[in-house]
Amino acid sequence: MTTQHVTIIMIEDDKGHARLIEKNIRRAGVQNEIVPFGDGTSACRYLFGADGSGASHAGRALLILLDLNLPDMTGVDILRRLKANEYLKRAPVVILTTTDDRQEIQRCYDLGCNVYITKPVDYENFAHSIRQLGLFFSVIQVPENG
């Protein structure tokens, strides 16, 4: 069975939420590498690289879990930058946040987020969201019959 290795980038400043999200991801059967960031600055440095172009991630399969309320910048700003970048714009972005404001949700979808999940995260909803993104079979190793 061949699967493209998807790296999960988790941008979440609350350590408790980050642990819970990771636990839920694992409980949903996803074993992929999770690269955690506690603030937007370090996440952007990683995503866009030293030169700021994002070219270092060209061709890599990334799934980005993004909190909107970060200590140093807003998740909306990061989302806007991701979707404007030629190398990163196709990476699916799942917004995980406590904000359930309709206008904020609409703004995130308008900017290109794929899924908007309000915390606390329900792991079945999360697994369903991954399936909706069409990544389900690339992030979860399904044993072959035989």
Side-chain angles (χ1 to χ4, degrees):
M1 178 178 147
T2 58
T3 56
Q4 186 179 17
H5 179 72
V6 176
T7 301
I8 299 170
I9 309 296
M10 177 170 55
I11 308 169
E12 168 61 74
D13 64 312
D14 182 305
K15 286 186 181 2
H17 281 157
R19 274 194 304 273
L20 196 60
I21 291 164
E22 183 164 355
K23 193 174 100 181
N24 287 338
I25 289 170
R26 297 302 181 214
R27 246 173 52 194
V30 177
Q31 296 305 317
N32 294 57
E33 177 188 12
I34 298 174
V35 183
F37 294 96
D39 62 81
T41 305
S42 58
C44 285
R45 202 174 301 125
Y46 175 83
L47 288 165
F48 295 99
D51 64 359
S53 73
S56 58
H57 292 292
R60 283 191 65 203
L62 301 176
L63 169 62
I64 299 162
L65 307 179
L66 179 58
D67 182 17
L68 292 185
N69 306 307
L70 297 166
D72 53 345
M73 64 179 72
T74 71
V76 170
D77 288 339
I78 296 172
L79 176 63
R80 188 177 284 119
R81 280 188 64 191
L82 285 167
K83 294 304 177 179
N85 183 280
E86 64 178 308
Y87 301 106
L88 298 167
K89 65 184 176 191
R90 283 182 285 294
V93 177
V94 176
I95 302 290
L96 298 165
T97 187
T98 51
T99 309
D100 62 358
D101 174 60
R102 278 192 181 305
Q103 284 178 302
E104 188 78 342
I105 293 169
Q106 190 56 54
R107 183 162 66 147
C108 288
Y109 279 117
D110 289 347
L111 287 170
C113 92
N114 298 75
V115 182
Y116 191 105
I117 298 176
T118 306
K119 290 187 235 171
V121 176
D122 169 329
Y123 98 93
E124 285 177 26
N125 282 350
F126 183 83
H128 177 72
S129 298
I130 298 295
R131 280 186 206 97
Q132 279 185 310
L133 290 172
L135 286 175
F136 186 68
F137 292 106
S138 61
V139 295
I140 296 179
Q141 298 290 326
V142 180
E144 292 177 351
N145 293 332

